[in-house]
């Protein structure tokens, strides 16, 4: 070990003549531990919330959605079928029909949106996670799922013949070609209630696709959209868009573009704030190093007499300062990783009101960001300390 390395280690762990210098050095390490612990923990919390939000959105949105570029419906022809069939088991394809209806029950009338879904719907959309009361309806039956807003407004009764309600499709040509606003109707009974994503689309009915097709008077192979489950949604969406040029193909991230932008922008802002806090924390290290330089002035002169160059002396205090940053940062990172692991394993902290574990996630990129910040702040702090040493000399 070279003399400058030995002295930098010695000044790091040995006691100083003035107790205040030792206290400030230990306090600097403690502040850095808190700063880096907070930095990585907050990033882990944001990653957990991001995963939670995106998983929650999968209760409403598929991995990939195919829609017509113009008009309300697309025709599922041989070209689409052969294209989708070419992916084999890589994807699961479901078909959806959407329409607006008037719902009437027990002298109450309300507008709603009806979704006709096929048997693949439950494999693509995690609807079970948002069903609050009841169960999924049986296939090819008049049982449906109703949103909480609709069931509450109408006062629907579940699983009961007395809970049958009427859904009337609205004639799109009214009043130009007919004086009858009602085109056709279907009778439904709610077997389950789910919570809608927001209040804007709170009145929703999820029913069998054949019932909805009859209700809206659509031809066979006519759908509002195709929904797809895929392992790699981004890659498969790009591939599908190249093959289906006459249709709009959107991945899960594109369907939730606003959510992605909000989460990413919040994470960037928080990261910048935490980086600023970390850099401010390094000034404690600079201050402790400066005090150490002042205290060790006689030792520095002795080292110069023994032949140590000014460059080596500057390097010695640079390494001393850098080591303080590294020790404080690594301890903070390790404590943060331990805390995140404990939360993921034992769910100590819960989300108030729903008694669910607070989401948190260990992401490798977050650790890299914190380590890069640690190295940059350590180099910056050491460089400033060496500049101050030159001014003092």
């Amino acid at each position: 070990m070279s003399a400058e390395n030995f002295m930098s280690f010695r000044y790091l762990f040995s006691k100083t003549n003035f107790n205040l210098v030792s206290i400030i050095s230990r306090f600097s390490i403690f502040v850095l531990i808190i700063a880096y612990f907070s930095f990585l923990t907050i990033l882990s919390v944001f990653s957990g919330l991001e995963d939670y939000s995106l998983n929650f959105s999968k209760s409403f949105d598929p991995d990939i959605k195919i829609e017509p570029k113009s008009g309300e419906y697309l025709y599922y022809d041989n070209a689409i079928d052969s294209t989708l069939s070419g992916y084999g088991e890589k994807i699961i394809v479901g078909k959806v029909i959407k329409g607006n209806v008037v719902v009437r029950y027990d002298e109450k009338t309300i507008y709603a949106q009806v979704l006709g879904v096929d048997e693949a719907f439950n494999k693509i959309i995690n609807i079970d996670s948002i069903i609050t009361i009841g169960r999924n309806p049986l296939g090819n039956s008049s049982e449906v799922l109703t949103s909480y807003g609709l069931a509450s407004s109408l006062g629907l009764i579940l699983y009961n013949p007395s809970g049958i309600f009427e859904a009337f499709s609205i004639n799109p040509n009214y009043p130009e070609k007919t004086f009858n606003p009602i085109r056709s109707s279907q009778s439904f009974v709610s077997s389950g209630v789910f919570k809608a994503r927001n209040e804007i689309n709170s009145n929703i009915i999820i029913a069998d696709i054949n019932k909805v097709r009859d209700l809206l008077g659509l031809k066979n192979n006519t759908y509002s959209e195709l929904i797809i489950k895929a392992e790699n949604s981004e890659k498969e969406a790009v591939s599908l868009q190249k093959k289906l040029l006459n249709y709009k193909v959107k991945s899960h991230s594109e369907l939730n573009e606003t959510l992605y932008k909000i989460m990413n922008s919040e994470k960037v802002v928080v990261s910048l704030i935490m980086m600023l806090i970390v850099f401010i924390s390094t000034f404690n290290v600079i201050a402790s190093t400066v005090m150490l330089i002042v205290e060790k002035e006689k030792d520095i002169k002795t080292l110069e007499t023994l032949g140590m160059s000014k460059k080596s002396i500057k390097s010695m205090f640079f390494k001393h300062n850098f080591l303080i940053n590294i020790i404080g940062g690594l301890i903070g990172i390790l404590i943060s990783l331990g805390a995140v692991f404990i939360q993921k394993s034992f769910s100590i902290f819960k989300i108030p009101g729903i008694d669910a574990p607070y989401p948190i996630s260990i992401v490798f990129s977050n650790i890299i960001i914190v380590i890069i910040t640690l190295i940059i702040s350590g180099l910056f702090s050491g460089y400033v300390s060496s500049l101050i040493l030159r001014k003092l000399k």
Side-chain angles (χ1 to χ4, degrees), residues 169-184:
S169 67
I170 303 172
N171 195 323
N173 296 321
Y174 175 81
E176 284 83 358
K177 294 185 180 180
T178 177
F179 290 101
N180 182 15
I182 304 301
R183 184 163 58 185
S184 61

Side-chain angles (χ1 to χ4, degrees), residues 77-88 91 239-240 243-244:
D77 54 17
N78 292 332
I80 297 179
D81 184 63
S82 61
T83 298
L84 297 179
S85 298
Y87 288 86
I91 62 174
S239 174
L240 283 167
K243 297 176 181 179
L244 301 173

Side-chain angles (χ1 to χ4, degrees), residues 40-41 43-52 55 335-350 356-364 366-367:
L40 183 56
T41 302
L43 289 182
S44 299
V45 169
F46 262 89
S47 296
L49 290 172
E50 183 177 11
D51 293 340
Y52 180 81
N55 286 332
I335 294 174
S336 176
L337 290 174
V340 173
F341 178 77
I342 291 172
Q343 172 63 16
K344 285 183 68 68
S345 301
F346 303 102
S347 303
I348 296 174
F349 298 99
K350 306 281 186 179
Y358 204 89
I360 197 165
S361 179
I362 299 175
V363 179
F364 183 71
N366 290 340
I367 300 174

Side-chain angles (χ1 to χ4, degrees), residues 82-125:
S82 61
T83 298
L84 297 179
S85 298
Y87 288 86
E89 296 181 355
K90 291 182 179 179
I91 62 174
I92 300 174
V93 182
K95 306 173 182 68
V96 178
I97 296 175
K98 293 182 179 179
N100 296 320
V101 295
V102 175
V103 180
R104 184 183 299 165
Y105 173 73
D106 194 23
E107 299 183 353
K108 297 177 182 177
T109 302
I110 194 170
Y111 286 96
Q113 183 184 53
V114 63
L115 302 182
V117 300
D118 60 7
E119 64 278 359
F121 181 77
N122 291 334
K123 299 177 183 178
I124 300 171
I125 303 295

Side-chain angles (χ1 to χ4, degrees), residues 67-324:
E67 299 174 311
K69 279 190 174 180
S70 60
E72 297 182 27
Y73 303 104
L74 61 83
Y75 184 73
Y76 192 83
D77 54 17
N78 292 332
I80 297 179
D81 184 63
S82 61
T83 298
L84 297 179
S85 298
Y87 288 86
E89 296 181 355
K90 291 182 179 179
I91 62 174
I92 300 174
V93 182
K95 306 173 182 68
V96 178
I97 296 175
K98 293 182 179 179
N100 296 320
V101 295
V102 175
V103 180
R104 184 183 299 165
Y105 173 73
D106 194 23
E107 299 183 353
K108 297 177 182 177
T109 302
I110 194 170
Y111 286 96
Q113 183 184 53
V114 63
L115 302 182
V117 300
D118 60 7
E119 64 278 359
F121 181 77
N122 291 334
K123 299 177 183 178
I124 300 171
I125 303 295
N126 188 21
I127 191 68
D128 289 332
S129 64
I130 56 172
I131 295 177
T132 56
I133 303 173
R135 55 165 174 77
N136 255 314
L138 301 174
N140 289 321
S141 71
S142 295
E143 291 185 356
V144 298
L145 287 175
T146 51
S147 62
Y148 177 81
L150 181 65
S152 178
S153 299
L154 297 178
L156 294 178
I157 301 173
L158 301 184
Y159 316 115
N160 197 309
S162 62
I164 293 176
F165 62 92
E166 294 287 327
F168 303 89
S169 67
I170 303 172
N171 195 323
N173 296 321
Y174 175 81
E176 284 83 358
K177 294 185 180 180
T178 177
F179 290 101
N180 182 15
I182 304 301
R183 184 163 58 185
S184 61
S185 65
Q186 284 280 354
S187 297
F188 296 117
V189 61
S190 179
S191 68
V193 176
F194 67 94
K195 183 150 183 78
R197 193 199 309 246
N198 52 53
E199 294 299 324
I200 297 176
N201 58 353
S202 61
N203 296 330
I204 301 174
I205 302 168
I206 299 178
D208 177 72
I209 194 167
N210 296 316
K211 297 286 185 180
V212 175
R213 178 181 285 109
D214 293 338
L215 175 63
L216 300 178
L218 299 177
K219 297 179 181 179
N220 290 334
N221 293 330
T222 301
Y223 305 101
S224 300
E225 61 191 29
L226 303 178
I227 56 176
I228 296 174
K229 182 179 180 63
E231 292 184 2
N232 191 335
S233 61
E234 301 295 331
K235 178 182 177 182
E236 304 299 352
V238 172
S239 174
L240 283 167
Q241 185 63 83
K242 292 178 180 178
K243 297 176 181 179
L244 301 173
L245 298 176
N246 296 325
Y247 303 93
K248 291 189 291 184
V249 180
K250 295 182 179 180
S251 64
H252 187 264
S253 60
E254 291 172 325
L255 293 170
N256 295 273
E257 186 176 3
T258 302
L259 176 61
Y260 273 87
K261 286 182 178 179
I262 291 174
M263 295 296 295
N264 289 333
S265 60
E266 287 180 345
K267 191 172 182 178
V268 168
V269 170
V270 170
S271 298
L272 292 175
I273 293 173
M274 292 307 302
M275 286 178 184
L276 179 61
I277 293 173
V278 166
F279 274 99
I280 292 174
S281 301
T282 59
F283 283 96
N284 290 308
V285 183
I286 295 172
S288 67
T289 304
V290 171
M291 294 184 69
L292 181 65
I293 292 171
V294 173
E295 183 193 349
K296 299 297 182 182
E297 185 175 1
K298 292 182 180 179
D299 291 353
I300 294 172
K301 290 180 179 179
T302 301
L303 292 173
E304 288 179 340
T305 303
L306 293 173
M308 182 176 284
S309 65
K310 290 183 178 181
K311 182 178 179 182
S312 296
I313 294 173
K314 287 172 59 178
S315 176
M316 177 181 68
F317 284 102
F318 174 88
K319 291 176 181 178
H320 168 80
N321 190 294
F322 186 72
L323 280 172
I324 292 179

